[in-house]
Amino acid sequence: MCTDDSPARPTRPTRPILHDVEPAIEIDLEPVDSVVVTTLMDNVADALMPDQGPAHRIAFGTGPRRPSPLMVDGLVPEALIAEHGFSVLVTVAKGGAEHRFLFDTGTSPDGVMRNMRYLDIDPGSIEAIVCSHGHFDHTAGLAGLVRSLGQANMPVLIHPDFWHRRRLVIPGRDPLELPTTSRRALHEAGFDIIEERQPSFLFGRSVLITGEVARTTGYEPGLPPQQAWLGGRWEPDPLVLDDQALIVNVSGRGLVVITGCGHAGVVNIARYAQRLTGGQPLYALLGGFHLGGPGFEPLIPRVLDDLATLNPGVLVPGHCTGWRAQHAMSARFPAAFIPNAVGTSFQL
């Protein structure tokens, strides 16, 4: 939480940090020295997970403490919280300079901010926010950030379809309309809203945002139950075209690809990342792969076969991947698979 004696927030660049790129042309994504991905929100909190490879966990009981009248000493350790949502803090380092930005902001107004306080992360150090898509379990935490910072004064990078009203229509159930982010509220909070369908860069040529992902596998279906309010009526909207991912090229290792829900299809996303960057090797693949539930679990064997050809060195499925897919990935890729948990930092 920022207070009056907190260090002054750095001046944040706005539009100059973002550059459109032509997707038909191979993109010269400049390598960075390192990237650290810190999980601020995911579906799992596990205080007993050990360090594993590039994954570094928060030691049990080492965070701040809060009053508890039932304890002998009147205190109990604070805890990181988990939600059905996703958010990571990404720190890229190149040539002695570092940049920090958020990819998604979780599903409640305050969950990500609470975990940032626990992890002693200054929200004033964040220079930009990238939203993977418009579903509220990736966007609602923007409200907590605004309450912490006051006028946000930073760019938010989205796809134009981010604003669509949407609902899920599942046979045997009433349609469920999803909360929609308010364009007006984001403007009034001071965000510089940048909408792009095409790939674009952050921080020079250090971070690539995919924009719309090419759907090439033919079997990854998006989100079939989804509809959008278009032209004054509900229309099928299964492709979730606003689903976009992040790409960073770590020098000497290859691509780090971060997904939100992976509605575009995790294989589609990984292949598109390689296509955009001229066939760079896939070093790490992290995020939601949307393989949970009966509508998606039949895809697991085919997805795993295609992931095997991509050969990621680090595989971190989280959020909406589903337990069956995670178990299958653990068995198929024992050297690469790392379970995620809130508070984990991946030093890549």
Side-chain angles (χ1 to χ4, degrees), residues 189-214:
F191 289 109
D192 180 18
I193 300 170
I194 303 174
E195 301 181 28
E196 298 292 340
R197 292 185 184 273
Q198 303 300 327
S200 53
F201 284 118
L202 271 173
F203 311 121
R205 305 178 74 88
S206 300
V207 177
L208 182 61
I209 305 164
T210 63
E212 252 173 60
V213 173

Side-chain angles (χ1 to χ4, degrees), residues 73-93:
D73 61 359
L75 295 171
V76 68
E78 274 277 14
L80 291 162
I81 62 170
E83 304 172 339
H84 180 86
F86 189 71
S87 176
V88 292
L89 176 71
V90 182
T91 304
V92 293

Side-chain angles (χ1 to χ4, degrees), residues 53-135:
H56 297 270
R57 319 290 188 178
I58 298 297
F60 179 70
T62 57
R65 305 175 84 81
R66 63 186 301 177
S68 176
L70 297 183
M71 299 296 109
V72 170
D73 61 359
L75 295 171
V76 68
E78 274 277 14
L80 291 162
I81 62 170
E83 304 172 339
H84 180 86
F86 189 71
S87 176
V88 292
L89 176 71
V90 182
T91 304
V92 293
K94 182 172 72 172
E98 282 192 351
H99 294 286
R100 274 183 158 186
F101 62 100
L102 286 182
F103 183 64
D104 290 344
T105 63
T107 194
S108 73
D110 299 307
V112 163
M113 288 306 306
R114 173 174 166 175
N115 287 342
M116 286 179 69
R117 288 193 295 269
Y118 182 102
L119 297 169
D120 197 26
I121 295 171
D122 175 15
S125 67
I126 297 167
E127 298 175 66
I129 299 171
V130 180
C131 291
S132 64
H133 63 301
H135 289 165

Side-chain angles (χ1 to χ4, degrees), residues 29 79 86 143 157 190 271 281 285:
L29 177 60
F86 189 71
L157 282 51
R271 287 178 176 173
L285 184 59

